[in-house]
C-alpha cells in the first residue's frame, strides 16, 4: 500500500518509490506535517511534530495556544487565529470577521484519483495512484475542508489539492485559498525559481533563503512571462546529481503565488496557490470551492532526478492528447516569414517548397480574418478575409492538402479589438471597469470569459472554422495580460471572482474543443511563452516556448523550461536570420539542433532563405524522423549549462532501455589555443559498451560517466554537434 493510516499513532503515510510523506494528527485534531524526504522502510513515529516541547502542550496545558500555532508544522494553516506565518485559507464570516481553525474529522483512502470539477488535473489508474482525503472541519463556521493527497508511486510525485465546502448557515467569503503548504526545518535552503520577460522566459535563478517571505507570483491573469508557478528549495551544493530538492509546480494558468518563508525559529513554510490579490470568492451555504492542484516532488539525488520525475509524471499523468506519445508533424509557420503580409498565393508557394524538403504541415498564423493587416483590429471577427485568402479557407486547405501537407491555423479566441464588429456590437463583452477607459495592450481588450454567452460565441467561432475545412492543428494564442478587472455581467459582490472565473472560462473552452475535436493537435501560446504551465498541458501536448527562437537565447530558455517540462512539450522552431528578436546570426545547423530538443518545426520564408541553408532542411527533417521518439519519450540529462559557464551548453537524452543516448553540444563561443573539453556524461548504463555512431570509437557507459568524454574543439562560435551513442554490448 503506498498510502496507509496507523490508527494507534495517528500517522498517515504516503510512500512513493523513493520518497515518504508523513502526516500526524495531534490529540486535539490539528493536522501536522511530520516528514517529507527519502523513502522510509521501517516503523514511523510522530515525535517530529514536537508537541511535547515548551511553551505549549495542547493536550496538557492550554496556557499559550498562539505560541503553539505559530510554530507547529501545519499541513494547511488557516488565518486569523494565531499562526502568524503565511496562511493558506482566509475565511470571512457574515459579521465581517476573518478567522478559521481546522480539526481532523475523518479520512478516506482509495485507489485512483478523482477529477477536479472544471479544472485541469493529473489522472491515473487505481494501480498507479492512491489518494488520501483528509476531512477537516471548522465547527464554528460549519466549514468542511478536504485536503487531498495523491501518491504516484512510480514517478515520486504527490499531487495535492483542496476543496472548501460551506456546510454552515452563513454566507462566507473565501479571501485566500492556497493549494499546498510544506512546513520544514530550514536546511540552509536556497530558493530556485524561474523568472523572465517577453522573449526571455524561464531563466533559472537561485539564491539564499533569507528570514522573512520570498516569493514569485503573477497577478497578470496568466501564469506569465515574468515569473513562473514553480518553486524549489534546495540544500547548499545541490547539482544535477546530488543534493536535496523540494519542489512545487502549480496546475493553473492564472494568478499564482509561490512563496518560501523563513521564520524566527528557523523553520521554513513553502506555499503555493491562487494569488490572493483581487481574489474573493463567495461561498453560500451548500456551495463548494475547488482549488487547483499542486504537484509536489522530493529528490534526494539532485535536480536531475527532480526533472525526470516531473517529465515522466507530465507525460504519463497530465497530458491526455493522443499526440502525447505520437510523432508530431514537422510544421512550417508563416509568422516570421510574412507577418501579416500574406495571401493564398504566398502560402501555397511556401507549402510547395516546404513539401519538397520533407516538411509535413503548413500553419497559417495571425492575419487571415476580418480586416486584420496589422495587430490593431478584428480580434473577435473570426470570418476569413477573402481578399487575402482568395477562394476561401476550404479551397486553400484543399490545395495545401493536394500539395501533400496538412493544415493548421492560428486563433486568439480570448480577445477583442476595439476596432472590430464584435466590439461595436458588444462593448460590454470586454473586461473593463464602468466609467474608466480600459487600458489597451497590443491594441486589444480581453473578453469577459466569466460570461456564458461570450463563451458560447467564442467557441462557436472556433468550431465553425474547424468544421469548414480539413484543419488538424490549432495554435491558441493569448497576447495580452489582464487589467481593469470589471465585468458588466457579474454583480457587485462577485467582482473578486473574475480573475478565477476567467481562467475557468479558458479551461471550459479548451475542454469543449478537445472533446469535440479529439484528434486535433492543439498548441497553446501566449505572446510566446507566457502561459507555459501544467494546466495548459492538460489540454495541449505542446506550448510555444518563446517568441525568441534565436538558438543561443533558446539555450537558456529551454534549459529553464526543461528543468520542469518534457522536451516534447516545448514548441521550438528553426527560425529566420538575422534573428528577429536579437539580430544574431547563427548557423542553420545549430538552429536545427536546438529546435530538435523541442517539438521541431520551421518559422521562416523557405522561398527566400539562402541556398546553403535550404540544402540542410531535408537533412534536418531526416534527423527529426530519426530522433523524434527518443526525444519525446527518453530521459533528459543536463550535462553543462551555458548560463553558468558562458561558453558552452550540453544535454543528453537517453532511451528508457539505455540502448541509445543522444548528446547535444553547443559551442557558444570558441576558445583559442585550447584542448578538447572533458564532460561527464549521464544517462548510460555503466555496464554497457557504446559505439559513437559514424565512428569506430567505443566506450563503456561507466567510463563516459565517471571518467568523462572528450569534446573535441571545433572552429567558430554558435556551432553545435550531435553525438549519438548506440549500445553494442
Ligand atoms: C504571438 C505568438 O507568440 C507569435 O508566434 C505569433 O503567433 C503572434 N502572436 C501573432 O500575433
Amino acid at each position: 500500500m503506498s498510502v496507509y493510516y496507523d490508527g494507534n499513532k495517528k500517522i498517515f503515510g504516503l510512500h512513493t518509490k523513493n520518497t515518504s510523506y508523513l502526516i500526524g494528527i495531534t490529540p486535539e485534531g490539528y493536522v501536522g506535517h511530520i516528514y517529507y524526504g527519502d523513502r522510509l522502510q521501517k516503523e514511523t513515529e510522530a515525535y517530529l511534530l514536537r508537541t511535547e516541547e515548551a511553551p505549549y502542550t495542547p493536550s496538557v496545558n492550554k496556557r499559550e495556544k498562539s505560541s503553539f500555532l505559530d510554530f507547529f508544522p501545519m499541513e494547511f494553516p488557516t488565518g486569523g487565529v494565531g499562526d502568524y506565518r503565511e496562511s493558506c485559507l482566509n475565511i470571512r464570516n457574515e459579521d465581517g470577521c476573518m478567522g478559521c481553525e481546522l480539526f481532523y474529522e475523518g479520512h478516506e483512502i482509495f485507489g485512483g484519483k478523482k477529477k477536479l470539477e472544471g479544472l485541469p488535473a493529473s489522472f491515473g489508474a487505481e494501480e498507479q495512484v492512491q489518494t488520501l482525503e483528509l476531512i477537516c472541519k471548522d465547527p464554528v463556521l460549519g466549514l468542511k475542508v478536504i485536503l487531498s493527497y495523491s501518491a504516484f508511486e512510480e514517478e515520486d510525485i504527490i499531487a495535492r489539492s483542496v476543496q472548501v465546502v460551506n456546510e454552515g448557515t452563513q454566507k462566507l467569503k473565501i479571501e485566500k485559498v492556497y493549494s499546498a503548504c510544506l512546513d520544514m526545518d530550514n536546511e540552509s535552503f536556497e530558493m530556485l525559481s524561474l523568472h523572465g520577460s517577453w522573449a526571455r522566459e524561464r531563466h533559472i535563478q537561485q539564491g539564499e533563503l533569507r528570514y522573512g517571505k520570498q516569493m514569485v507570483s503573477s497577478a497578470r491573469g496568466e501564469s506569465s512571462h515574468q515569473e513562473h508557478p514553480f518553486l524549489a528549495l534546495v540544500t547548499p551544493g545541490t547539482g544535477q546529481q546530488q543534493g536535496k530538492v523540494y519542489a512545487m509546480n502549480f496546475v493553473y494558468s492564472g494568478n499564482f503565488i509561490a512563496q518560501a518563508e523563513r521564520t524566527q525559529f528557523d523553520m521554513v513554510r513553502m506555499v503555493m496557490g491562487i494569488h490572493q490579490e483581487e481574489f474573493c470568492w463567495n461561498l453560500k451555504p451548500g456551495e463548494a470551492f475547488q482549488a487547483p492542484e499542486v504537484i509536489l516532488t522530493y529528490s534526494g539525488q539532485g535536480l536531475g532526478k527532480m526533472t525526470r520525475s516531473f517529465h515522466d509524471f507530465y507525460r504519463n499523468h497530465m497530458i491526455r492528447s493522443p499526440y502525447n506519445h505520437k510523432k508530431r508533424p514537422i510544421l512550417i509557420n508563416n509568422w516570421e516569414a510574412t507577418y501579416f503580409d500574406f495571401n493564398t498565393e504566398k502560402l501555397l508557394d511556401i507549402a510547395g517548397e516546404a513539401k519538397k524538403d520533407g516538411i509535413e504541415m503548413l500553419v497559417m498564423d495571425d492575419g487571415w480574418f476580418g480586416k486584420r493587416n496589422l495587430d490593431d483590429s478584428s480580434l473577435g471577427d473570426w470570418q476569413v478575409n477573402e481578399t487575402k485568402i482568395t477562394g476561401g479557407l476550404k479551397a486553400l486547405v484543399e490545395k495545401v492538402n493536394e500539395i501533400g501537407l496538412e493544415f493548421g491555423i492560428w486563433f486568439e479566441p480570448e480577445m477583442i479589438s476595439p476596432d472590430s464588429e464584435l466590439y461595436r456590437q458588444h462593448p460590454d463583452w470586454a473586461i473593463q471597469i464602468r466609467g474608466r477607459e480600459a487600458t489597451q495592450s497590443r491594441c486589444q481588450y480581453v473578453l469577459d470569459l466569466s460570461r456564458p454567452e461570450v463563451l458560447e460565441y467564442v467557441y462557436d467561432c472556433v468550431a465553425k472554422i474547424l468544421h469548414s475545412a480539413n484543419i488538424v492543428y490549432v495554435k491558441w494564442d493569448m497576447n495580452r495580460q489582464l487589467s481593469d478587472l470589471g465585468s458588466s455581467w457579474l454583480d457587485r459582490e462577485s467582482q473578486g471572482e473574475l480573475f478565477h472565473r476567467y481562467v475557468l472560462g479558458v479551461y471550459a473552452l479548451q475542454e469543449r474543443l478537445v472533446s469535440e475535436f479529439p484528434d486535433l493537435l492543439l498548441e497553446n501560446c501566449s505572446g510566446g511563452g507566457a502561459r507555459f504551465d501544467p494546466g495548459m498541458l492538460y489540454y495541449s501536448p505542446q506550448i510555444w516556448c518563446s517568441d525568441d527562437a534565436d538558438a543561443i537565447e533558446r539555450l537558456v530558455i529551454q534549459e529553464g523550461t526543461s528543468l520542469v517540462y518534457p522536451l516534447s512539450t516545448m514548441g521550438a522552431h528553426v527560425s529566420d536570420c538575422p534573428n528577429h528578436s536579437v539580430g544574431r546570426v547563427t548557423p542553420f545547423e545549430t538552429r536545427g539542433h536546438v529546435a530538435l530538443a523541442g517539438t521541431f518545426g520551421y518559422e521562416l520564408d523557405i522561398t527566400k532563405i539562402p541556398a546553403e541553408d535550404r540544402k540542410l532542411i531535408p537533412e534536418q527533417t531526416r534527423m527529426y524522423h530519426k530522433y523524434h521518439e527518443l526525444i519525446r519519450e527518453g530521459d533528459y540529462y543536463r550535462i553543462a549549462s551555458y548560463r553558468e559557464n558562458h561558453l558552452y551548453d550540453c544535454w543528453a537524452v537517453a532511451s528508457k532501455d539505455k540502448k541509445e543516448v543522444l548528446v547535444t553540444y553547443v559551442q557558444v563561443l570558441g576558445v583559442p589555443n585550447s584542448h578538447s573539453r572533458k564532460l561527464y556524461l549521464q544517462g548510460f548504463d555503466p555496464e554497457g559498451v557504446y559505439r559513437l555512431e559514424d565512428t569506430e570509437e567505443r566506450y563503456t557507459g561507466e567510463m563516459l560517466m565517471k571518467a568523462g568524454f572528450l569534446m573535441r574543439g571545433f572552429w567558430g562560435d554558435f556551432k553545435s554537434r550531435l553525438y549519438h551513442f548506440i549500445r553494442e554490448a
Side-chain angles (χ1 to χ4, degrees):
M1 281 275 276
S2 58
V3 179
Y4 69 87
Y5 178 53
D6 179 338
N8 290 329
K9 294 179 185 162
K10 292 202 161 33
I11 294 177
F12 292 94
L14 295 100
H15 294 312
T16 67
K17 213 166 157 187
N18 297 292
T19 74
S20 294
Y21 190 107
L22 299 183
I23 299 165
I25 310 294
T26 71
E28 306 70 26
Y30 291 116
V31 182
H33 180 72
I34 301 176
Y35 171 78
Y36 188 30
D38 289 314
R39 166 100 197 213
L40 304 168
Q41 306 290 353
K42 308 255 171 357
E43 269 304 276
T44 53
E45 306 293 341
Y47 61 89
L48 288 162
L49 291 179
R50 295 180 166 113
T51 47
E52 306 304 321
E53 289 182 24
Y56 174 64
T57 309
S59 49
V60 180
N61 164 1
K62 296 266 176 206
R63 75 191 151 89
E64 192 47 70
K65 179 172 163 184
S66 171
S67 298
F68 167 74
L69 286 179
D70 208 17
F71 172 74
F72 184 69
M74 279 286 183
E75 271 301 314
F76 199 67
T78 51
V81 291
D83 179 349
Y84 297 101
R85 297 166 289 178
E86 183 80 19
S87 62
C88 285
L89 183 66
N90 286 0
I91 302 285
R92 200 167 290 279
N93 69 12
E94 263 180 0
D95 293 340
C97 302
M98 197 272 283
C100 175
E101 195 172 13
L102 295 178
F103 300 97
Y104 169 78
E105 275 267 324
H107 69 269
E108 235 191 285
I109 293 173
F110 52 89
K113 184 172 181 290
K114 293 179 187 166
K115 287 190 163 185
L116 302 191
E117 181 70 30
L119 289 167
S122 57
F123 48 81
E126 282 192 15
E127 61 285 2
Q128 297 170 320
V129 51
Q130 276 209 310
T131 299
L132 162 68
E133 284 187 353
L134 286 176
I135 297 140
C136 305
K137 289 229 167 112
D138 179 315
V140 179
L141 294 172
L143 190 77
K144 180 163 90 175
V145 175
I146 303 168
L147 307 179
S148 167
Y149 302 76
S150 297
F152 288 83
E153 186 153 5
E154 205 45 44
E155 292 85 6
D156 288 321
I157 293 285
I158 294 177
R160 289 186 60 172
S161 65
V162 176
Q163 196 186 33
V164 183
V165 189
N166 185 350
E167 294 187 335
T169 52
Q170 301 185 53
K171 282 190 197 158
L172 302 175
K173 283 185 185 304
I174 308 176
E175 295 193 332
K176 183 207 286 193
V177 57
Y178 294 164
S179 298
C181 171
L182 198 54
D183 274 358
M184 302 176 280
D185 284 58
N186 187 27
E187 297 181 53
S188 306
F189 284 131
E190 292 172 11
M191 177 166 147
L192 190 157
S193 61
L194 303 172
H195 74 98
S197 181
W198 173 78
R200 43 186 172 83
E201 294 86 351
R202 290 172 297 286
H203 287 209
I204 296 172
Q205 68 170 344
Q206 188 172 331
E208 183 202 353
L209 183 67
R210 289 164 288 114
Y211 288 103
K213 296 174 180 177
Q214 286 119 81
M215 61 128 145
V216 288
S217 68
S218 165
R220 297 164 181 267
E222 61 173 354
S223 40
S224 92
H225 302 276
Q226 288 74 13
E227 287 170 14
H228 196 72
F230 165 82
L231 184 66
L233 294 179
V234 305
T235 48
T238 289
Q240 286 300 313
Q241 300 185 73
Q242 71 290 325
K244 290 186 182 182
V245 183
Y246 302 84
M248 287 183 181
N249 195 197
F250 200 23
V251 189
Y252 191 61
S253 312
N255 293 347
F256 74 89
I257 177 169
Q259 180 177 281
E261 174 182 8
R262 183 168 162 192
T263 74
Q264 55 184 330
F265 304 116
D266 247 310
M267 293 185 66
V268 171
R269 172 166 289 177
M270 184 180 183
V271 294
M272 183 171 271
I274 296 179
H275 202 309
Q276 87 181 104
E277 190 162 312
E278 198 44 36
F279 174 85
C280 183
W281 197 271
N282 297 292
L283 201 69
K284 296 198 201 91
E287 287 183 348
F289 180 86
Q290 177 63 57
E293 183 168 87
V294 164
I295 307 304
L296 194 64
T297 194
Y298 164 80
S299 159
Q301 300 143 51
L303 289 167
K305 165 73 175 87
M306 175 205 76
T307 293
R308 288 183 290 282
S309 298
F310 276 127
H311 286 197
D312 284 343
F313 179 71
Y314 288 134
R315 285 185 295 207
N316 297 336
H317 301 291
M318 187 65 72
I319 302 169
R320 59 196 177 134
S321 160
Y323 282 95
N324 188 17
H325 296 294
K326 237 169 65 178
K327 180 186 152 292
R328 322 277 163 86
I330 303 174
L331 65 81
I332 185 158
N333 177 303
N334 74 308
W335 179 240
E336 287 198 13
T338 65
Y339 292 103
F340 295 100
D341 186 16
F342 63 89
N343 55 24
T344 292
E345 209 185 322
K346 179 73 211 169
L347 293 175
L348 291 178
D349 253 13
I350 293 177
E353 293 306 306
K355 173 66 190 169
K356 291 182 194 160
D357 292 350
I359 293 172
E360 299 163 312
M361 178 161 72
L362 174 76
V363 175
M364 178 171 70
D365 211 281
D366 193 355
W368 55 266
F369 54 93
K371 57 177 178 87
R372 189 155 166 102
N373 294 314
L374 262 182
D375 61 7
D376 60 356
S377 82
S378 304
L379 294 169
D381 299 344
W382 297 107
Q383 292 86 32
V384 180
N385 177 347
E386 295 212 7
T387 38
K388 278 173 148 177
I389 309 301
T390 39
L393 184 61
K394 192 168 180 344
L396 169 66
V397 178
E398 281 171 0
K399 285 188 193 125
V400 170
N401 288 168
E402 272 163 31
I403 289 171
L405 261 59
E406 296 190 292
F407 189 86
I409 198 166
W410 176 98
F411 284 100
E412 194 177 359
E414 301 159 57
M415 298 291 150
I416 180 166
S417 302
D419 181 8
S420 66
E421 288 312 313
L422 186 66
Y423 189 72
R424 283 183 274 277
Q425 280 167 28
H426 299 286
D428 55 331
W429 282 14
I431 289 180
Q432 48 196 308
I433 299 169
R434 191 149 47 88
R436 175 183 296 281
E437 193 185 334
T439 303
Q440 291 186 25
S441 176
R442 211 197 192 208
C443 314
Q444 64 201 56
Y445 296 136
V446 184
L447 279 168
D448 180 359
L449 298 187
S450 74
R451 202 170 170 140
E453 60 191 320
V454 175
L455 290 184
E456 236 10 74
Y457 173 83
V458 166
Y459 185 77
D460 285 350
C461 290
V462 175
K464 204 166 146 202
I465 294 286
L466 295 189
H467 281 301
S468 76
N470 182 23
I471 298 169
V472 299
Y473 162 106
V474 163
K475 178 174 173 188
W476 180 301
D477 204 349
M478 193 268 195
N479 282 307
R480 67 154 290 178
Q481 302 178 330
L482 276 60
S483 68
D484 305 272
L485 266 274
S487 162
S488 54
W489 184 74
L490 291 174
D491 62 22
R492 193 178 162 273
E493 291 282 298
S494 311
Q495 295 294 332
E497 300 179 2
L498 183 52
F499 262 133
H500 183 57
R501 286 191 182 275
Y502 178 83
V503 180
L504 294 179
V506 176
Y507 291 153
L509 286 172
Q510 296 209 353
E511 180 67 44
R512 217 173 141 185
L513 188 68
V514 298
S515 307
E516 189 180 345
F517 302 93
D519 295 326
L520 185 74
L521 173 54
L522 182 63
E523 175 155 355
N524 268 292
C525 169
S526 176
R531 216 160 49 181
F532 202 119
D533 59 62
M536 289 284 99
L537 287 182
Y538 183 70
Y539 305 99
S540 67
Q542 58 194 59
I543 304 173
W544 184 227
C545 199
S546 175
D547 271 351
D548 195 337
D550 170 67
I552 305 306
E553 289 298 307
R554 274 294 181 116
L555 295 178
V556 182
I557 297 169
Q558 294 184 187
E559 182 193 0
T561 309
S562 62
L563 185 72
V564 185
Y565 304 102
L567 304 189
S568 61
T569 65
M570 300 194 301
H573 298 166
V574 176
S575 70
D576 210 11
C577 258
N579 176 265
H580 294 199
S581 307
V582 277
R584 186 177 288 131
V585 177
T586 51
F588 203 76
E589 187 182 36
T590 306
R591 284 179 260 161
H593 289 162
V594 174
L596 184 67
T599 54
F600 195 76
Y602 291 86
E603 184 131 354
L604 38 72
D605 190 342
I606 193 169
T607 67
K608 287 195 183 139
I609 57 171
E612 65 271 24
D613 288 354
R614 177 78 196 268
K615 269 210 308 261
L616 295 176
I617 297 183
E619 228 172 84
Q620 289 184 336
T621 54
R622 277 196 295 277
M623 168 183 79
Y624 175 75
H625 285 284
K626 181 170 173 188
Y627 294 123
H628 70 86
E629 189 174 345
L630 173 63
I631 305 268
R632 195 180 58 244
E633 311 287 344
D635 285 333
Y636 168 82
Y637 294 85
R638 171 57 51 180
I639 311 291
S641 162
Y642 156 64
R643 177 183 55 86
E644 288 172 353
N645 63 41
H646 309 298
L647 289 175
Y648 59 93
D649 210 56
C650 186
W651 63 90
V653 182
S655 61
K656 290 271 176 200
D657 59 11
K658 302 211 177 287
K659 286 200 171 140
E660 56 173 334
V661 181
L662 180 68
V663 177
T664 308
Y665 178 75
V666 182
Q667 174 172 292
V668 179
L669 294 178
V671 179
N673 189 22
S674 56
H675 293 288
S676 56
R677 178 172 283 136
K678 187 167 86 170
L679 289 186
Y680 295 100
L681 301 185
Q682 297 173 60
F684 295 81
D685 182 343
E687 306 291 323
V689 177
Y690 293 82
R691 185 174 61 81
L692 178 59
E693 200 177 27
D694 297 331
T695 74
E696 287 308 313
E697 292 173 29
R698 285 179 175 76
Y699 304 87
T700 63
E702 183 187 45
M703 195 78 187
L704 291 172
M705 295 192 294
K706 288 192 177 156
F709 175 68
L710 295 179
M711 296 285 178
R712 279 141 216 151
F714 32 89
W715 186 250
D717 294 341
F718 312 139
K719 293 288 177 59
S720 61
R721 293 273 189 282
L722 296 183
Y723 299 87
H724 188 209
F725 293 90
I726 301 159
R727 185 168 183 169
E728 286 192 338

